[in-house]
Amino acid sequence: MVKAIVVEDLWKTYRVRKIVVEVLKGVSFDVKDRTIVCIMGPNGVGKTTLLKIIAGYIEADRGKVLVYGKRPQDISVRGQIGYMPQDDVLFDSLSFIEHLELLRHTREVSFIDLEFIYDLVEKLGLNKILKLSIGNLSGGQRRLVQMLLAISHKPRIILLDEPIAFVDKENRDIILEVTRNLVDENGSTVVIASHDPYACSIADRVLELRDGLIREVKV
């Protein structure tokens, strides 16, 4: 099977004043095409750092990441990656539709697959949230909106950082169902970072990140 992502000997150190924290200490793994890999670990172990390196947002001190054989910073690759951050970056005064419009004018790859997103929203029975301002949505609905925005350009690679943290059961299950279907029906490749074993229940493979190292949990 094709390797969608190859992570090789990644090292990353942060320096805060005189304190040096080694977050990644030679992390290596790969993600096969059209599969879900879940990276588990408690808060603060470097899961977000790892996802941001894979997404091409930050650089590792050492090592390399290849996405379909190219660096994630390559312009031909960046448009194939969808990243859902852990933090809520939505604007309370804007609706989901207005967020889509904002993305079309601000993201590096301005293409938005509106037909794909609207079909998905209709299948989920979520048409009611399209025009509501984000400030009127529940925490779970906000998280779901963040995911839909991350996949609005129908990326081949989807990176989800704590996708179900602080989410109610109904929306948590919707998020995981959508994620699994993106792989099974659309051929996407997904990497989930989470401290919650439930988020990893849909994964084909589970890895644990701890003390800067990664190990296999389930194949």
Side-chain angles (χ1 to χ4, degrees):
M1 187 179 288
V2 175
K3 292 180 180 179
I5 302 170
V6 175
V7 175
E8 188 176 301
D9 196 30
L10 283 191
W11 292 75
K12 184 64 178 178
T13 299
Y14 290 110
R15 291 174 175 82
V16 182
R17 296 196 180 105
K18 295 183 179 180
I19 301 174
V20 177
V21 181
E22 288 185 313
V23 180
L24 305 177
K25 305 176 184 177
V27 168
S28 298
F29 66 96
D30 58 64
V31 180
K32 293 179 180 178
D33 198 33
R34 302 189 177 196
T35 64
I36 300 176
V37 168
C38 188
I39 300 171
M40 282 194 63
N43 293 331
V45 297
K47 302 187 302 297
T48 295
T49 294
L50 180 55
L51 282 197
K52 286 184 175 179
I53 292 173
I54 295 172
Y57 293 156
I58 61 175
E59 294 273 2
D61 298 331
R62 200 162 80 228
K64 67 179 180 180
V65 173
L66 296 177
V67 177
Y68 293 111
K70 298 181 179 180
R71 297 178 72 248
Q73 292 85 359
D74 190 293
I75 190 64
S76 65
V77 172
R78 291 195 67 83
Q80 300 183 55
I81 298 175
Y83 176 74
M84 175 185 178
Q86 180 177 356
D87 297 329
D88 188 329
V89 295
L90 302 176
F91 296 98
D92 284 352
S93 61
L94 300 183
S95 68
F96 174 60
I97 292 177
E98 289 170 329
H99 274 86
L100 283 175
E101 285 299 317
L102 186 63
L103 277 182
R104 294 175 73 173
H105 294 288
T106 58
R107 87 169 2 144
E108 292 178 6
V109 180
S110 59
F111 170 74
I112 300 291
D113 194 327
L114 292 178
E115 183 179 357
F116 164 66
I117 285 297
Y118 287 155
D119 282 350
L120 184 53
V121 167
E122 187 170 349
K123 285 179 184 177
L124 295 172
L126 297 174
N127 301 73
K128 61 183 180 182
I129 74 170
L130 290 179
K131 296 182 180 180
L132 288 175
S133 63
I134 298 301
N136 291 323
L137 301 183
S138 69
Q141 289 173 327
R142 292 175 71 106
R143 204 73 184 121
L144 182 55
V145 164
Q146 279 192 273
M147 180 181 183
L148 293 174
L149 291 171
I151 64 172
S152 60
H153 57 302
K154 206 173 181 179
R156 294 178 71 186
I157 301 289
I158 301 169
L159 308 175
L160 306 177
D161 195 353
E162 296 287 1
I164 61 170
F166 308 110
V167 175
D168 59 279
K169 186 179 187 307
E170 179 183 359
N171 286 292
R172 179 182 66 181
D173 289 342
I174 291 173
I175 288 171
L176 295 183
E177 180 183 356
V178 170
T179 302
R180 188 69 250 183
N181 287 342
L182 286 169
V183 175
D184 296 340
E185 297 177 9
N186 294 347
S188 302
T189 300
V190 178
V191 180
I192 299 171
S194 181
H195 70 279
D196 187 347
Y198 192 72
C200 295
S201 63
I202 61 169
D204 302 296
R205 185 180 176 206
V206 179
L207 305 173
E208 182 184 36
L209 181 61
R210 190 180 292 270
D211 298 324
L213 301 171
I214 207 159
R215 70 180 183 89
E216 196 89 28
V217 176
K218 180 185 75 173
V219 180

